[in-house]
Amino acid sequence: MRRPGRPSFAVLTCLLLVAALVPAAGAAPDDKPRAGGELVFIVAAEPPSFDAHREETFAMLHPGAPQYNTLMRVDPFDRTGTKFVGDLAESWTISADRRTYTFKVRQGVKFHDGSLMTSRDVKASYDHIISPPPGVVSSRKATYQSVESLDAPAPDTVVFRLKYPEASFMAALASPWNWIYKADILARDPRWYEKNVMGTGPFKFVEYVRGSHWIAKKNPDYWDKGKPYLDGFRAIFIPSSSAQVAAVRGERAHIQFRGFTPADRDNLVSAVGKKITVQESPWNCSIGATPNEQKKPYDDKRVRRALTLALDRWEGSKALSRIALIKEVAGIQVPGTPWATPPAELEKLAGYGRDITAARAEARRLLKEAGAENLSFTLVNRAVPQPYEPFGIWLIDQWRQIGVTVKHSVLETSSWFQALRNGEFEVAVTAPCNSIVEPDLDIHWFLTTSPVNYGKHKDTVMDDLYARQSRTLDPDERRRLLRQFEKRLYDEEIHFIMGFQWHRIIPHSSKVRGWTIMPSHFLNQQLDTVWLAE
Amino acid sequence: MASYLAKRLLLIVPTLLGVASLVFVIMRVIPGDVALLILGGDQGSHIDPQQLAAVRQQLGLDQPLIVQFGVWMWGLLHFDLGTSLWTGRPVVEELLIRLPLSLELAVLATMISVLISIPLGMLAAVRQDTWVDYVVRVVSIGGLAVPSFWVGILVILFLVLFFGWGPPLLFTPPWEDPWANLQQMIWPVVTVGYRYAAVTTRMTRSTLLEVLREDYIRTAWAKGLAQKAIVIRHALKNAMLPVITLIGTEFAFLIGGLVVTETVFTLNGVGRFVVDAVAHRDYPVVQALVFLIAFGFVLVNLLVDLTYAWFDPRIRYQER
């Protein structure tokens, strides 16, 4: 015999059980920096090692950076990520010929083991980057080719002497990867930092459990008195994007610093409203198509020009930005930053005009003239949903409208790289990605000698323009050279069919304050300015 | 029995050797380069060939394949599962971080499954073609038809949408904080246990139905034995052999095979560890884990076979 009412009791029991497992949550907003609390953030991948001089992935930088300082840094409140301030450098002077940079290093800064940091540590760290000992990998060694010598003449002084003036040298010194290590440790074991964490940063390393978490606590002896505001942080490694969204939505995590999709943003905002704050920025990554100039008919610039003329970037931006991490129509620099192309000039470039009908008519004419009227090819793309796949689909649709038939070949990452490196493609989706917005660091991809010149173009004019803009000391002259470089790259020779700038979207808990989005997920990760309004 | 056991134990050796060799070859055949991944080559950045060579040398990947294979086998003979190429830590150390979680999940899901499925399967068999049977069949077919990761996503969505709450993201061992552990583990356990229970319920029902039609059961009925005695003492015990095999195999699977569920619930378990290692081309980790999972399967199968003798006295494992 079934007793009446039992199902309701069972349902009630279940709901009570669920309710019992759900702790109450609440936030008390505050406008002034507040000390205390633990920031919980999500990292979508695992760090391969702990050595920033060696690594290139945000998976290491996001949990690792708060434990270190760099000599210079990007201003943590500058949304363009192009203003530099001292980190361990207290002050600096640059010689008139811009070849000698002298830095006064902060005194009284302590490593987490209690020892004092001096200019010797700065020198040792940069030696580790610029001239790594045998067996040590330095990923950014090539960035410092201009350095002739590096000296530490006094405990508070570091001097860089360059072979030639370089406009981007200060940016290179503000690289978020150039953590200052302890000289004695590097002397004893140059690879010690691959498996250990010990810096001068605002947080002290506590533990890392692969696949699970990274914990750090406040450094009470931090040189910047009053900072950090947080008691500590906990980085949680969650590869699944749906689990990341659920974690933020369920208030288990405050933020994920790399970026969410527009759909995730909209879901979070509609679900939790004011508990979520959204910061957005153009991202210093672009996505486009690289034609293989070693193969016919892509050696013909008329064909390449036709392919870029076919793209309706302005309408594409509106459509794709609703579903993918791409948005801005841009030139060779992130819009809104000092070296970006003015909109009026941008629209003069092939395929950037507002009259798409005329552009496509011109594209058809060029294809006919080049004898490629019935062009068909395979577009090699990377099997990464954001933003590669939607972008690839968009490209195919755009080219179809000038009579070009394209097959989409989506390859797993390693196969995609293999195809690029071996030149086994006709046209491939590629996505140059950078950190600090600086022309030298951003456009080296397109040089003839670049190892990532997958299209195998040879353009000494462009190479010369790059070298000249890099060494010029006059900003107006540099701007003019950059525009020439851009016109040659996107309009005249079309070595890269630029699509869009990536768009970074960070929806985070409104409790998180003091953190400013920048055009790179590599920047502003020291967390010394971050606090929790609770 | 002793000679049967000795024979089965000896057979484990070539089986595991085969697995070890196969996984070594497969990992070298699949495209991808751990050194490239370590240097961030998958991010689209430029990698200096000299740096690449240096990393390969550090990892011992510049050695001929036969040497690498020899090192792997020699390590196995000395119970050394190697060192992760990705973290530089011993594989055993890495595994021990994840094993408690996976074991807890497997044990709890198995317990829930057994506690639910055997009574339900019995009930459905005894009350065949009544509403009880129909309900049990619908629920169990539902469990089979719906992937557990999807149920997991629904569970999380339900919690987040209706309660604005998600399970904790970090594993807390039950001996440290049972409440925190329960908050995290109950959802995946229920999710996995439901599918597991569905499979076992179906198996229990069908095997019990088969046994209930045997002549000796008819005899028992004719002798006037009580239903409880017939079903539990005579029928169930004989119906248990395939159910036990299933429980054993599922248990072994649960330790290393819950990749998607672990991902959905952000559990740092062995399944995710395997997939993560494959994605990173962390050869020693993949080799060691596949080897250990294979060992687990072999061991569980052996234990299952040995329990047959207890359930069915006709099975003696004696040599003819």
Side-chain angles (χ1 to χ4, degrees):
Chain A
M1 283 272 289
R2 188 174 64 83
R3 284 197 313 214
R6 185 169 285 178
S8 306
F9 176 75
V11 170
L12 189 65
T13 308
C14 289
L15 288 175
L16 281 173
L17 178 66
V18 170
L21 292 169
V22 178
D30 195 349
D31 292 322
K32 291 175 188 171
R34 170 187 167 272
E38 183 187 55
L39 180 78
V40 180
F41 62 90
I42 298 162
V43 184
E46 294 282 332
S49 85
F50 300 155
D51 182 3
H53 297 180
R54 164 196 176 122
E55 301 304 341
E56 304 207 10
T57 169
F58 72 96
M60 191 277 316
L61 197 76
H62 286 191
Q67 279 106 143
Y68 290 95
N69 288 115
T70 48
L71 185 61
M72 298 293 292
R73 71 188 286 199
V74 167
D75 182 341
F77 299 106
D78 170 36
R79 281 180 61 91
T80 68
T82 56
K83 288 181 189 156
F84 309 119
V85 294
D87 196 7
L88 289 179
E90 196 164 39
S91 62
W92 54 92
T93 55
I94 305 170
S95 65
D97 65 356
R98 299 190 82 84
R99 287 182 55 201
T100 306
Y101 288 68
T102 306
F103 292 90
K104 284 286 173 199
V105 175
R106 288 183 202 283
Q107 294 299 284
V109 175
K110 283 182 181 170
F111 281 102
H112 297 161
D113 66 356
S115 59
L116 273 178
M117 188 280 309
T118 67
S119 60
R120 187 171 154 259
D121 301 301
V122 177
K123 176 177 160 38
S125 300
Y126 270 92
D127 283 341
H128 192 249
I129 295 165
I130 299 170
S131 324
V136 170
V137 175
S138 169
S139 290
R140 280 155 292 275
K141 179 181 163 181
T143 309
Y144 303 92
Q145 283 173 343
S146 62
V147 176
E148 188 176 73
S149 65
L150 167 57
D151 298 302
D156 67 343
T157 309
V158 173
V159 181
F160 289 87
R161 174 90 187 145
L162 306 189
K163 294 172 199 160
Y164 44 82
E166 190 173 42
S168 60
F169 190 65
M170 207 51 133
L173 292 182
S175 165
W177 305 96
N178 294 359
W179 296 349
I180 301 304
Y181 293 155
K182 188 170 167 172
D184 289 344
I185 291 175
L186 288 176
R188 206 167 51 239
D189 179 3
R191 295 184 57 196
W192 187 86
Y193 278 97
E194 288 175 21
K195 293 188 173 62
N196 300 280
V197 182
M198 209 283 290
T200 56
F203 294 92
K204 284 184 174 181
F205 175 73
V206 175
E207 71 167 359
Y208 164 60
V209 176
R210 187 183 173 191
S212 177
H213 61 270
W214 175 309
I215 298 173
K217 64 178 181 187
K218 178 178 186 159
N219 174 8
D221 299 323
Y222 192 51
W223 56 266
D224 194 354
K225 293 302 166 201
K227 288 182 185 166
Y229 300 117
L230 300 166
D231 286 339
F233 71 81
R234 190 176 291 250
I236 312 280
F237 299 96
I238 306 179
S240 153
S241 55
S242 60
Q244 291 172 18
V245 175
V248 174
R249 191 169 170 166
E251 299 187 60
R252 287 288 176 191
H254 294 109
I255 191 166
Q256 185 262 65
F257 288 110
R258 188 166 187 266
F260 280 120
T261 64
D264 292 338
R265 170 199 58 201
D266 297 343
N267 285 341
L268 281 168
V269 170
S270 67
V272 287
K274 286 182 180 173
K275 283 186 178 176
I276 289 288
T277 298
V278 180
Q279 296 196 48
E280 298 193 24
S281 165
W283 203 335
N284 194 13
C285 296
S286 46
I287 191 160
T290 298
N292 187 343
E293 296 185 28
Q294 297 293 303
K295 291 194 176 183
K296 287 191 181 300
Y298 313 101
D299 58 341
D300 186 334
K301 66 180 174 188
R302 290 171 300 184
V303 173
R304 302 195 299 266
R305 191 175 168 88
L307 292 179
T308 197
L309 281 167
L311 308 184
D312 187 351
R313 292 173 171 85
W314 302 104
E315 285 304 311
S317 164
K318 286 180 201 164
L320 287 169
S321 63
R322 285 199 284 267
I323 57 163
L325 294 172
I326 43 184
K327 187 173 183 179
E328 285 79 12
V329 179
I332 52 171
Q333 286 280 273
V334 174
T337 56
W339 307 101
T341 321
E345 281 190 50
L346 196 63
E347 289 187 24
K348 291 178 192 163
L349 297 172
Y352 283 77
R354 299 283 180 173
D355 186 351
I356 188 63
T357 312
R360 284 185 179 149
E362 171 67 1
R364 281 198 192 87
R365 189 192 67 74
L366 284 169
L367 285 178
K368 191 175 179 183
E369 191 181 295
E373 273 175 293
N374 300 312
L375 182 64
S376 77
F377 60 84
T378 299
L379 175 71
V380 169
N381 201 353
R382 185 181 185 184
V384 172
Q386 286 293 344
Y388 291 83
E389 289 177 10
F391 177 70
I393 293 164
W394 177 79
L395 277 181
I396 290 167
D397 176 61
Q398 297 291 297
W399 287 331
R400 185 182 55 80
Q401 297 184 47
I402 56 164
V404 176
T405 310
V406 183
K407 187 180 157 200
H408 201 187
S409 172
V410 182
L411 304 179
E412 186 263 333
T413 294
S414 56
S415 306
W416 174 73
F417 265 113
Q418 200 174 334
L420 292 180
R421 290 200 175 100
N422 298 342
E424 293 161 351
F425 68 95
E426 292 167 288
V427 181
V429 174
T430 52
C433 214
N434 306 291
S435 60
I436 294 174
V437 183
E438 214 298 326
D440 273 11
L441 308 177
D442 292 340
I443 61 177
H444 70 94
W445 295 80
F446 306 113
L447 302 183
T448 304
T449 51
S450 167
V452 287
N453 171 13
Y454 297 124
K456 299 277 185 289
H457 66 259
K458 293 184 180 71
D459 196 328
T460 50
V461 175
M462 224 163 69
D463 296 347
D464 179 56
L465 285 168
Y466 176 85
R468 283 165 59 200
Q469 67 79 29
S470 175
R471 295 180 193 195
T472 185
L473 302 178
D474 175 7
D476 290 335
E477 173 66 1
R478 192 180 191 204
R479 199 165 280 116
R480 192 182 63 77
L481 292 167
L482 283 169
R483 295 289 79 81
Q484 282 181 29
F485 183 97
E486 182 175 67
K487 186 165 174 57
R488 192 160 177 90
L489 177 67
Y490 290 160
D491 187 283
E492 294 167 357
E493 296 297 323
I494 312 103
H495 300 306
F496 179 63
I497 301 166
M498 172 66 171
F500 304 96
Q501 202 77 36
W502 290 29
H503 188 71
R504 194 169 171 219
I505 302 169
I506 310 287
H508 59 78
S509 163
S510 295
K511 292 174 192 167
V512 177
R513 307 289 174 87
W515 181 79
T516 306
I517 193 170
M518 291 190 184
S520 167
H521 57 300
F522 298 130
L523 299 176
N524 200 16
Q525 291 304 134
Q526 216 175 60
L527 307 183
D528 56 332
T529 58
V530 176
W531 54 281
L532 291 174
E534 188 176 52
Chain B
M1 182 72 175
S3 75
Y4 173 80
L5 188 63
K7 214 184 254 179
R8 287 291 302 267
L9 286 172
L10 278 175
L11 266 175
I12 290 178
V13 177
T15 308
L16 292 181
L17 271 178
V19 169
S21 311
L22 196 65
V23 70
F24 180 90
V25 172
I26 288 172
M27 282 309 292
R28 269 35 180 214
V29 167
I30 57 172
D33 183 346
V34 61
L36 197 63
L37 291 169
I38 286 173
L39 289 174
D42 62 324
Q43 309 286 319
S45 48
H46 158 56
I47 302 298
D48 180 350
Q50 281 182 336
Q51 289 177 357
L52 197 62
V55 174
R56 285 210 179 104
Q57 192 188 10
Q58 284 170 16
L59 301 177
L61 299 175
D62 57 334
Q63 300 286 324
L65 278 185
I66 190 73
V67 175
Q68 292 180 42
F69 183 70
V71 170
W72 155 237
M73 294 310 284
W74 185 249
L76 277 185
L77 289 174
H78 292 80
F79 302 103
D80 176 8
L81 293 174
T83 304
S84 163
L85 300 180
W86 199 254
T87 63
R89 291 171 69 181
V91 177
V92 173
E93 219 175 89
E94 296 274 6
L95 183 66
L96 286 177
I97 293 170
R98 293 152 180 88
L99 203 57
L101 186 149
S102 290
L103 272 178
E104 186 187 346
L105 180 56
V107 169
L108 290 179
T110 304
M111 278 166 61
I112 282 201
S113 155
V114 170
L115 287 175
I116 293 171
S117 63
I118 292 178
L120 279 185
M122 277 169 58
L123 204 60
V126 172
R127 301 272 181 269
Q128 192 189 6
D129 293 334
T130 64
W131 70 269
V132 176
D133 185 26
Y134 291 135
V135 169
V136 171
R137 280 158 70 181
V138 166
V139 171
S140 57
I141 288 171
L144 289 174
V146 180
S148 50
F149 69 84
W150 189 72
V151 177
I153 289 171
L154 287 187
V155 166
I156 290 179
L157 276 178
F158 171 76
L159 293 168
V160 168
L161 284 175
F162 291 98
F163 295 94
W165 181 88
L169 299 174
L170 291 183
F171 176 67
T172 312
W175 54 88
E176 278 181 21
D177 185 346
W179 180 238
N181 179 267
L182 180 67
Q183 284 188 68
Q184 187 184 37
M185 296 303 284
I186 189 166
W187 314 109
V189 163
V190 167
T191 304
V192 175
Y194 174 43
R195 190 202 68 88
Y196 192 174
V199 180
T200 320
T201 304
R202 298 282 300 163
M203 181 63 87
T204 307
R205 180 185 173 276
S206 57
T207 52
L208 193 60
L209 278 175
E210 209 172 296
V211 172
L212 285 171
R213 292 187 186 107
E214 295 279 337
D215 290 348
Y216 74 94
I217 296 294
R218 189 185 57 200
T219 308
W221 284 114
K223 281 168 69 179
L225 285 180
Q227 186 190 35
K228 194 177 165 187
I230 292 170
V231 173
I232 295 175
R233 196 188 304 161
H234 297 288
L236 186 63
K237 211 171 167 187
N238 284 319
M240 278 290 99
L241 293 185
V243 177
I244 284 173
T245 310
L246 184 71
I247 291 170
T249 318
E250 284 281 323
F251 180 80
F253 167 78
L254 288 185
I255 292 177
L258 293 176
V259 182
V260 187
T261 307
E262 285 175 359
T263 305
V264 168
F265 287 100
T266 64
L267 300 174
N268 187 25
V270 175
R272 240 177 84 187
F273 189 33
V274 178
V275 171
D276 189 40
V278 172
H280 289 139
R281 306 296 186 271
D282 199 342
Y283 306 135
V285 173
V286 179
Q287 288 164 190
L289 291 178
V290 173
F291 180 81
L292 288 176
I293 290 168
F295 180 69
F297 266 94
V298 170
L299 202 66
V300 168
N301 269 327
L302 177 62
L303 291 173
V304 165
D305 287 352
L306 292 177
T307 57
Y308 281 3
W310 183 80
F311 278 98
D312 187 346
R314 290 170 299 182
I315 301 170
R316 293 289 179 212
Y317 298 120
Q318 282 177 346
E319 278 194 88
R320 290 180 186 173

